[in-house]
Amino acid sequence: MKEPTQVTSRDNPLLKRLRLLSQDGTAYRKQGQVWLEGDHLCRALLARGQRPVTAVFTERCWAGAPHDLRDACEHRVVVPEVLMAGLSGLESPAGMGFVWGLPQGQTPDLAGATVVLDRLQDAGNVGSILRSAAAMGFGQVLALKGTAGLWSPKVLRAGMGAHFALRLVEGLAPDDLRALTVPMLVTSSHRGEFLHRSELPWPCAWVMGHEGQGVRPELEALASRSVRITQPGGEESLNVAAAAAICLHASAAARALPL
């Protein structure tokens, strides 16, 4: 494999693109690529059998990088630490990152175990729910318009690699969910049957609503049931990421129970 390309100019076209990807939460939609910063995300990509189009290392990191990261792709770039710091969205810049081309033409799996995100605004919540979905055996996440960008830098960091285990489709409208063939379950703070008493179907589609407004009425009308989580402590509601983790775990546990 040929030696990596040395880049020393801040105005290099690649670095300009990477700065945009790292700082603009919607740039991935135009470029069709994402910037994966740091060892953890990069290894998560490789663990799923995916390969980057470009690998970027600082001079110091390149000198000690293991072969699986060095040899992840043909196009490898080495930059000074100061230039890598300009690409970073972290307080302590990582020594490496990958550029990965997003899957094109993803459409919903109409019969798969699904999590639906209805206008969730907080990137941390969205990333956390993606992690829970992947961990609990839900193969896809469908995001309605108004939800934080699934491939935005903040959601990528919060997802900690879960993205690569999921089919992700965003920009959907409520009517797009009518074609799903799995039962749709909506969450509510104050009405519906209690989760711990429910016989949960598998596969199913859990709908997680906006942090303040909850699930919109159009989706409630499509749902086969509404479910709530018991809260003996008396708080008004749970954080949506916490609620999602509880609901998805309940589905996973019910699926694992012997017949």
Side-chain angles (χ1 to χ4, degrees):
M1 191 175 290
K2 65 182 181 180
E3 288 297 306
T5 302
Q6 299 282 337
V7 172
T8 58
S9 171
R10 187 180 186 278
D11 295 325
N12 178 276
L14 171 63
L15 298 190
K16 285 184 176 180
R17 286 194 295 111
L18 295 187
R19 278 195 295 274
L20 192 61
L21 286 175
S22 68
Q23 297 166 12
D24 183 337
T26 62
Y28 70 90
R29 292 172 179 159
K30 296 179 181 178
Q31 295 197 27
Q33 296 179 329
V34 290
W35 168 239
L36 308 176
E37 184 179 357
D39 175 274
H40 182 88
L41 280 180
C42 292
R43 289 191 180 279
L45 180 75
L46 298 180
R48 291 288 173 176
Q50 300 293 321
R51 291 293 180 266
V53 295
T54 301
V56 183
F57 299 84
T58 64
E59 294 165 338
R60 183 180 306 167
C61 182
W62 173 257
H67 286 292
D68 61 336
L69 297 179
R70 277 190 172 212
D71 300 338
C73 63
E74 289 288 335
H75 187 216
R76 301 168 299 169
V77 174
V78 174
V79 302
E81 274 73 9
V82 66
L83 292 186
M84 183 68 89
L87 305 177
S88 180
L90 305 175
E91 290 185 10
S92 299
M96 63 159 299
F98 285 166
V99 182
W100 182 59
L102 290 174
Q104 299 299 308
Q106 289 278 69
T107 57
D109 174 3
L110 302 182
T114 300
V115 179
V116 177
L117 306 182
D118 179 19
R119 300 163 298 143
L120 271 68
Q121 302 289 298
D122 184 83
N125 284 338
V126 173
S128 178
I129 292 173
L130 264 59
R131 291 183 71 184
S132 294
M136 302 302 168
F138 285 77
Q140 75 174 349
V141 174
L142 307 180
L144 274 64
K145 292 176 182 176
T147 299
L150 298 187
W151 293 100
S152 65
K154 290 182 178 179
V155 175
L156 268 171
R157 290 196 292 272
M160 295 291 288
H163 286 71
F164 312 123
L166 298 165
R167 177 191 294 263
L168 301 177
V169 186
E170 57 183 356
L172 299 174
D175 279 350
D176 294 324
L177 303 182
R178 293 182 181 276
L180 294 179
T181 61
V182 295
M184 190 179 301
L185 311 178
V186 298
T187 53
S188 173
S189 298
H190 305 296
R191 57 191 174 84
E193 62 185 75
F194 283 109
L195 176 64
H196 65 281
R197 296 175 182 167
S198 298
E199 292 187 9
L200 298 174
W202 184 270
C204 66
W206 279 103
V207 183
M208 300 296 156
H210 181 277
E211 287 90 346
Q213 301 169 16
V215 176
R216 73 182 81 187
E218 302 98 300
L219 295 184
E220 291 185 337
L222 293 176
S224 61
R225 72 177 82 169
S226 179
V227 178
R228 55 178 164 159
I229 298 168
T230 184
Q231 296 172 218
E235 292 298 319
E236 180 182 359
S237 63
L238 289 173
N239 169 273
V240 65
I246 293 169
C247 292
L248 301 186
H249 175 264
S251 281
R255 182 188 181 196
L257 289 175
L259 296 176

